[in-house]
Amino acid sequence: MSKIVLIDGHSILNRAFYGVPDLSNAEGLHTNAVYGFLNIMFKILEEENPQYLAVAFDVKEPTFRHEIYKEYKGTRKPMPAELHEQVPVLKDVLKAMGIKIMEKPGLEADDILGTLARRSEKEGMEVALISGDRDLLQIASEHIKIRIPKTKGGKTEIEDYYAADVKARYQVSPLQFIDLKALMGDASDNIPGVPKVGEKTATELMVQFGSLEGIYEHIEEVTKKAVKESLINNKELADLSRILAAINVDGDVEFSYEDAEVHDFYTEEAYKQFKRLEFKNLLSRFEKGPLDNKQADYFKEITDLAQAEEVFERALKLGEGRHAAFDVVEDSGKEEDFVGLCFALDEKEVFFIKAEGFLTKKYMTDKLSGLAGKVKLVTYDVKNKYAYLRTDRTEGLFDILIAAYLLNPLKNDYDPEDIANEHLGLMIPSRAQLFGKERLKKAAQDRAKELTEYACFLAYVEYMAASVLEKKLAETGMDKLMHEIEMPLSYVLHDMEKEGIRVMPEELKRYGDALNGRIEELETDIHKQAGSDFNINSPKQLGEILFEKLGMPGGKKTKTGYSTAADVLDKLAPDYPIVADILEYRGLTKLKSTYADGLAVYIGEGNRIHSTFNQTITATGRISSTEPNLQNIPMRMELGRLIRKVFVPKEGFVFTDADYSQIELRVLAHMSGDDQLIEAYRMDEDIHRITASKVFHTPFEEVTDLQRRNAKAVNFGIVYGISSFGLSQDLSISRKEAAEYIEQYFATYPGVKKFLDKLVEDAKKNGYVTTMFGRRRPVPELSSSNFMQRSFGERVAMNSPIQGTAADIIKVAMIRVWKRLKEENLRSKLILQVHDELLVETASDELSKVEHILKEEMRAAADLAVVLETDMHTGENWYEAK
DNA sequence: ACAATCACG
DNA sequence: ACGTACGTGATTGTT
């Protein structure tokens, strides 16, 4: 028996739009609805495996039913622009895939679908009709299944309705469903219905009388008086609604099953569309990309020494303007199980040098290191290659991962296959495919073959992408940033990771145990006060206890229930002792789990912790730290801050910690060129106090603590992309007052106001903002029609150049400090960066040199209109040094 | 996988 | 009328 799938185009697109979070491609085109539509469609196709498929759309001209209804209630709500622009895109994609689109002026999609469903059923087919709204339930039969996708928490679940299911769910047959709908109406479908009759009453009436006609024949038997009256007074409306609600199943629809036959949708044209829309998940459905398969003929596996020698020899002789690409293959991603080295000398010669026999890891490492500095070498994720590439000379290196990040720092992933896709228009098999579950099932030989192929693709992509990315960096003015900052930094970060930081495990343990005592005490106390045992760490349970059982004021705040965030509890703490205990409990368990216990698992050789510093994560250009995150070790509260005492230098060393003093505000002063702000910094006095003095027209000496605190908050606010709401929240003042502060601030520093306005203006014009060093951040939110999104975009446009420039500066400082330490043959090592702070493990006898270097190089990292001051401390542990 | 919370700059 | 300060990562609980 053959089967046909019919899709209600607009309705599913609409569902997808609201069910899938906002996505847009590089052009700024919104794509979430199309993406969601395709996902639903593919899911259905997999489940149904039909012979025929067609998608129906409404045409723009008002249809018959709309015409009638207009007289009553005007037109439908217009679609949001973000959805509207996706309609033609979806149609293009479907056309590209060769999928039959049905639309006809004067017929609604419902009518086309209904007509076709009935016709197909008569032909003896099974029908699956996919729609987002329940209108089509009236079409359900034994052979026509209505499928309604629901997005629940990111997952798509589909409700299926045959005729019997409709009856089970709504107590009426599909045919009766029309009358039901006529009675109750449907706002989304512009069916007025009978006033006073909702779903419940309508169902009761239908069950009792069987049809609309039946109801009016027995109108006297209707028990509810108000309903009865409404029915009598609105008979015309009911009849009209009946017409509106009924789907035309006998429409004049031309349709050839031949056109709708399911075939291979993964065409060249569709591939292009998917690529343009950046649907990388969906691209994997294309078994092979447009990459010439003959390419694989150029891939060669090398297993003997002579051949390997020849390859390295040839690499060494590469002329000016040429480059080689290499990568390292490790079976499970660990250095121990090195499998081989892949190498691309040109696009037609890609080698995989397998680690066996004479071709040892050491041999290859030596050879590769020998090329460094002599040949331009390209790779992916260079920071993790320095173990094989023993050089800190980064001038000849090019990392396609970093390049791809610079070109668009907003992405979550920059897998080699993504880069191949985006910058080369190539499909390569993904590492996930190769290294996933599938691999285990395969015979060892096949695995080796795939491994070789993957490795070669990798080197090939690196080779090809390098020139493309290099060109794009030059075009976007980021070539200097790449070569003079990011590439050298990659080595510094590698070195910092390798060095690690020493901790005292026993002290850490003792700290954790001390916390534990108090935590247990608080736990029993809280349970006693609450009158029952519950999980204090569960916001859900906690919310119920506080706001229901104990009846505290403060109601709902989050989507899922009560907010129990600290700022909410802070307000309750003075009146309820239990809340104060909960806050203390929270603080202590945080310290215990994240820091005491959390850090302990990362302690390695020599009691050192080796964090990972990520160079391609943040939108602004900062680095981030993971496993463990050493950039969020407690500082603000004394109890937490104590944990810094377990971070200690090795024997004979001390810690020297230097941090920039208000680097972001100084960057703002420089970038805005505001005379007043620059002048304020030249005074070399407390900047917040000066600001307070100017903003509140108070003599410097007479500024109160409150005034200073407010001025400081405004200074912060400016850097974050000021909004009166945000400031009012921070200072617990009214929005009006906050707005006045801001106004006063701008009156004091008019250059800052001008600068911020210009940032937003330029961002709107260009679609991106840049730092002093040319780093870009796209701001797609600025073109959103959503007020909140757009406002966010404006704040981003104001904040990113400031935060990003500060990030650039400290990166430069890191490189300079690192170089000086090396050039002067010091044993002291840069081991940590915390955004505006550098930590050096300093040999005791080198202390004065290190202090000098830090101060000098951090200051010289950028030439600003104001001086880059640093605060520096030395100590026997991180607590003392900070 | 995601939301809530909270640690840092 | 909307409903937020900017940038991160880890842990815990819930789905």
Side-chain angles (χ1 to χ4, degrees):
Chain A
M1 172 127 36
S2 50
K3 187 190 270 184
I4 183 166
V5 164
L6 299 168
I7 300 179
D8 185 347
H10 275 127
S11 145
I12 295 300
L13 191 68
N14 198 57
R15 272 294 154 106
F17 177 74
Y18 291 105
V20 178
D22 196 18
L23 295 171
S24 54
N25 70 355
E27 301 164 33
L29 182 71
H30 293 271
T31 57
N32 62 324
V34 177
Y35 180 75
F37 182 100
L38 292 174
N39 268 318
I40 292 170
M41 186 177 81
F42 285 132
K43 187 180 157 107
I44 299 277
L45 286 175
E46 269 159 32
E47 282 177 17
E48 301 282 347
N49 194 21
Q51 280 70 50
Y52 305 103
L53 167 69
V55 183
F57 288 95
D58 297 318
V59 269
K60 276 181 197 146
E61 296 101 282
T63 60
F64 166 67
R65 283 194 270 156
H66 289 141
E67 276 301 309
I68 307 181
Y69 186 59
K70 249 189 201 169
E71 293 163 34
Y72 287 85
K73 217 179 172 182
T75 46
R76 295 182 190 217
K77 258 201 291 188
M79 269 185 212
E82 288 90 341
L83 174 55
H84 190 254
E85 70 181 23
Q86 295 187 59
V87 176
V89 177
L90 174 64
K91 287 184 186 171
D92 285 347
V93 170
L94 294 176
K95 274 179 206 153
M97 295 173 79
I99 291 171
K100 172 76 178 168
I101 294 174
M102 302 177 297
E103 45 190 0
K104 184 168 180 173
L107 273 186
E108 282 191 33
D110 284 354
D111 301 327
I112 299 175
L113 292 165
T115 302
L116 226 50
R118 283 273 185 275
R119 202 183 290 172
S120 301
E121 185 183 29
K122 266 188 212 138
E123 297 273 337
M125 291 184 201
E126 286 294 315
V127 180
L129 216 167
I130 325 301
S131 179
D133 44 41
R134 294 173 184 275
D135 263 23
L136 283 152
L137 290 179
Q138 59 184 271
I139 305 295
S141 72
E142 260 185 76
H143 300 288
I144 300 176
K145 174 171 64 171
I146 313 298
R147 313 201 64 187
I148 303 177
K150 302 226 136 180
T151 36
K152 268 191 181 171
K155 270 191 196 159
T156 316
E157 281 182 22
I158 304 179
E159 284 179 12
D160 291 339
Y161 293 93
Y162 284 104
D165 303 308
V166 176
K167 182 103 190 172
R169 169 72 175 75
Y170 294 96
Q171 302 176 50
V172 296
S173 70
L175 208 60
Q176 290 174 311
F177 195 81
I178 304 171
D179 293 17
L180 182 78
K181 198 136 185 204
L183 284 164
M184 62 191 258
D186 183 345
S188 71
D189 214 32
N190 287 342
I191 296 170
V194 176
K196 301 239 154 47
V197 179
E199 179 174 349
K200 230 174 135 190
T201 313
T203 306
E204 275 168 24
L205 291 169
M206 286 304 295
V207 169
Q208 195 181 346
F209 302 106
S211 69
L212 194 61
E213 214 182 349
I215 294 168
Y216 280 103
E217 275 169 17
H218 302 92
I219 192 74
E220 291 308 321
E221 293 166 39
V222 174
T223 44
K224 283 188 196 150
K225 220 177 147 196
V227 172
K228 185 164 127 187
E229 256 173 47
S230 183
L231 281 165
I232 293 169
N233 293 337
N234 296 291
K235 176 142 198 326
E236 268 185 33
L237 200 56
D239 288 340
L240 173 66
S241 294
R242 175 75 175 62
I243 296 168
L244 290 171
I247 288 171
N248 179 4
V249 292
D250 194 20
D252 179 16
V253 180
E254 281 172 41
F255 184 77
S256 132
Y257 285 96
E258 208 179 311
D259 293 345
E261 253 178 282
V262 170
H263 54 273
D264 180 13
F265 299 131
Y266 304 110
T267 62
E268 183 91 18
E269 189 53 36
Y271 176 84
K272 282 183 195 154
Q273 292 270 357
F274 280 30
K275 202 178 142 276
R276 170 169 170 248
L277 299 170
E278 297 166 15
F279 294 158
K280 53 184 171 192
N281 286 348
L282 300 179
L283 276 169
S284 65
R285 292 173 177 275
F286 293 75
E287 282 166 277
K288 51 183 188 292
L291 175 61
D292 185 352
N293 266 4
K294 273 179 280 180
Q295 193 64 58
D297 295 344
Y298 303 132
F299 296 171
K300 297 189 180 94
E301 185 173 313
I302 287 178
T303 49
D304 82 68
L305 184 61
Q307 286 176 307
E309 282 290 315
E310 193 199 323
V311 169
F312 286 115
E313 205 52 43
R314 282 180 45 197
L316 208 49
K317 287 184 187 142
L318 280 176
E320 190 67 17
R322 305 267 311 273
H323 63 270
F326 77 94
D327 214 311
V328 170
V329 182
E330 294 157 341
D331 199 340
S332 62
K334 283 190 190 145
E335 209 185 312
E336 296 91 79
D337 36 45
F338 174 70
V339 181
L341 190 71
C342 50
F343 219 78
L345 293 178
D346 62 54
E347 63 205 84
K348 290 191 174 174
E349 294 195 280
V350 187
F351 304 99
F352 179 56
I353 308 172
K354 210 170 163 196
E356 61 177 28
F358 291 112
L359 300 172
T360 60
K361 184 165 129 189
K362 178 162 188 316
Y363 166 80
M364 285 187 246
T365 306
D366 288 345
K367 282 289 176 186
L368 193 59
S369 304
L371 291 176
K374 300 197 178 89
V375 182
K376 192 174 174 199
L377 283 178
V378 174
T379 191
Y380 172 90
D381 192 9
V382 70
K383 194 187 72 185
N384 284 320
K385 304 288 154 65
Y386 288 118
Y388 297 91
L389 189 67
R390 293 184 301 245
T391 183
D392 54 20
R393 296 185 52 186
T394 55
E395 314 91 73
L397 299 181
F398 188 88
D399 185 342
I400 65 164
L401 166 62
I402 296 175
Y405 162 73
L406 288 180
L407 288 167
N408 180 6
L410 299 186
K411 292 167 58 119
N412 291 319
D413 298 296
Y414 304 90
D415 294 331
E417 50 270 27
D418 297 333
I419 296 175
N421 250 318
E422 188 172 341
H423 297 281
L424 297 174
L426 287 182
M427 287 297 300
I428 64 165
S430 81
R431 193 182 177 88
Q433 273 168 351
L434 183 64
F435 290 80
K437 285 180 201 158
E438 289 298 309
R439 189 177 68 88
L440 299 174
K441 293 183 202 151
K442 296 206 163 127
Q445 231 171 11
D446 292 340
R447 264 179 17 216
K449 190 171 158 254
E450 286 190 354
L451 207 62
T452 305
E453 193 170 303
Y454 177 73
C456 290
F457 267 118
L458 209 55
Y460 175 78
V461 166
E462 288 159 5
Y463 181 88
M464 298 299 285
S467 15
V468 174
L469 293 169
E470 183 86 84
K471 187 157 167 266
K472 288 184 182 176
L473 286 173
E475 283 165 3
T476 51
M478 290 194 285
D479 42 345
K480 261 186 86 171
L481 178 65
M482 174 74 180
H483 294 288
E484 292 174 22
I485 299 184
E486 300 298 345
M487 290 306 303
L489 182 73
S490 71
Y491 192 87
V492 176
L493 295 178
H494 154 78
D495 204 32
M496 286 164 56
E497 289 181 3
K498 197 173 63 167
E499 210 60 34
I501 183 167
R502 184 176 171 229
V503 293
M504 298 202 293
E506 306 81 14
E507 292 298 318
L508 189 62
K509 176 86 168 53
R510 205 169 304 151
Y511 180 82
D513 290 345
L515 292 174
N516 222 13
R518 180 67 182 142
I519 287 170
E520 281 168 12
E521 216 174 280
L522 282 165
E523 190 179 342
T524 42
D525 230 37
I526 290 165
H527 287 161
K528 206 189 288 170
Q529 292 178 70
S532 63
D533 288 6
F534 67 102
N535 188 344
I536 308 167
N537 285 319
S538 159
K540 188 165 168 265
Q541 292 179 40
L542 181 62
E544 279 160 16
I545 293 278
L546 295 183
F547 300 110
E548 284 172 20
K549 191 167 176 201
L550 301 177
M552 294 183 194
K556 282 180 180 64
K557 217 187 149 191
T558 62
K559 294 170 210 167
T560 46
Y562 302 105
S563 168
T564 65
D567 59 338
V568 176
L569 298 191
D570 278 336
K571 295 194 183 92
L572 296 166
D575 300 321
Y576 301 93
I578 188 178
V579 175
D581 288 344
I582 289 164
L583 283 167
E584 189 185 352
Y585 175 90
R586 277 251 181 94
L588 298 187
T589 51
K590 178 90 182 181
L591 291 175
K592 174 94 168 95
S593 61
T594 305
Y595 300 103
D597 299 347
L599 287 173
V601 295
Y602 292 102
I603 301 176
E605 197 83 2
N607 286 338
R608 296 183 84 89
I609 291 178
H610 303 269
S611 175
T612 301
F613 296 103
N614 306 105
Q615 202 178 348
T616 57
I617 296 285
T618 70
T620 53
R622 279 184 172 183
I623 59 173
S624 86
S625 158
T626 50
E627 294 184 314
N629 180 354
L630 292 183
Q631 291 181 321
N632 72 345
I633 303 300
M635 175 72 198
R636 294 169 191 170
M637 304 287 287
E638 181 59 20
L639 181 63
R641 192 174 185 160
L642 287 171
I643 208 166
R644 292 177 173 236
K645 288 192 172 180
V646 312
F647 290 87
V648 292
K650 59 189 173 189
E651 303 304 322
F653 285 66
V654 291
F655 275 159
T656 313
D657 187 301
D659 68 281
Y660 280 117
S661 157
Q662 296 135 3
I663 187 170
E664 291 182 343
L665 271 186
R666 288 175 197 259
V667 164
L668 175 67
H670 173 85
M671 291 181 87
S672 68
D674 183 281
D675 300 335
Q676 289 295 312
L677 192 53
I678 292 170
E679 180 55 30
Y681 269 112
R682 298 237 163 102
M683 285 166 67
D684 197 29
E685 288 277 2
D686 179 347
I687 187 68
H688 302 310
R689 190 166 286 275
I690 301 176
T691 300
S693 162
K694 288 174 186 278
V695 168
F696 300 117
H697 308 294
T698 308
F700 182 81
E701 304 301 333
E702 291 169 31
V703 170
T704 64
D705 284 353
L706 180 66
Q707 285 176 320
R708 183 182 180 280
R709 196 158 65 243
N710 289 344
K712 186 176 173 181
V714 179
N715 275 332
F716 265 93
I718 294 291
V719 170
Y720 289 159
I722 196 81
S723 78
S724 55
F725 184 88
L727 184 65
S728 70
Q729 285 289 299
D730 190 52
L731 289 176
S732 304
I733 56 176
S734 76
R735 249 176 91 167
K736 196 158 164 274
E737 283 176 280
E740 281 165 16
Y741 285 1
I742 294 168
E743 203 182 316
Q744 276 303 305
Y745 181 95
F746 284 145
T748 308
Y749 300 126
V752 171
K753 163 88 173 138
K754 224 177 130 195
F755 170 65
L756 295 178
D757 287 347
K758 182 93 173 18
L759 283 179
V760 174
E761 188 193 321
D762 287 353
K764 282 186 175 159
K765 193 171 65 199
N766 301 326
Y768 61 87
V769 289
T770 56
T771 68
M772 248 180 78
F773 294 77
R775 183 189 305 277
R776 279 192 190 192
R777 169 174 182 172
V779 195
E781 296 88 352
L782 281 174
S783 55
S784 169
S785 65
N786 178 308
F787 173 82
M788 212 192 76
Q789 292 251 328
R790 215 169 44 246
S791 304
F792 174 73
E794 289 171 3
R795 292 195 296 272
V796 161
M798 294 188 261
N799 169 265
S800 290
I802 301 171
Q803 188 183 124
T805 300
D808 294 341
I809 291 173
I810 197 159
K811 282 178 170 179
V812 172
M814 290 168 75
I815 296 162
R816 296 179 70 117
V817 167
W818 184 89
K819 271 204 174 123
R820 280 286 293 277
L821 292 175
K822 182 171 177 258
E823 280 165 9
E824 301 189 16
N825 290 315
L826 302 181
R827 288 167 289 142
S828 304
K829 284 279 198 176
L830 177 61
I831 58 172
L832 264 187
Q833 184 254 44
V834 193
H835 309 309
D836 64 351
E837 168 192 359
L838 298 180
L839 184 65
V840 174
E841 190 174 43
T842 309
S844 295
D845 56 323
E846 295 172 358
L847 178 58
S848 56
K849 279 188 180 170
V850 168
E851 284 174 336
H852 181 74
I853 289 172
L854 277 170
K855 187 165 173 150
E856 191 167 284
E857 299 302 340
M858 285 174 81
R859 182 179 293 229
D863 185 19
L864 304 188
V866 297
V867 177
L868 282 172
E869 301 274 6
T870 48
D871 291 321
M872 205 171 345
H873 301 281
T874 291
E876 294 300 324
N877 55 56
W878 199 6
Y879 179 91
E880 286 177 14
K882 181 69 189 154

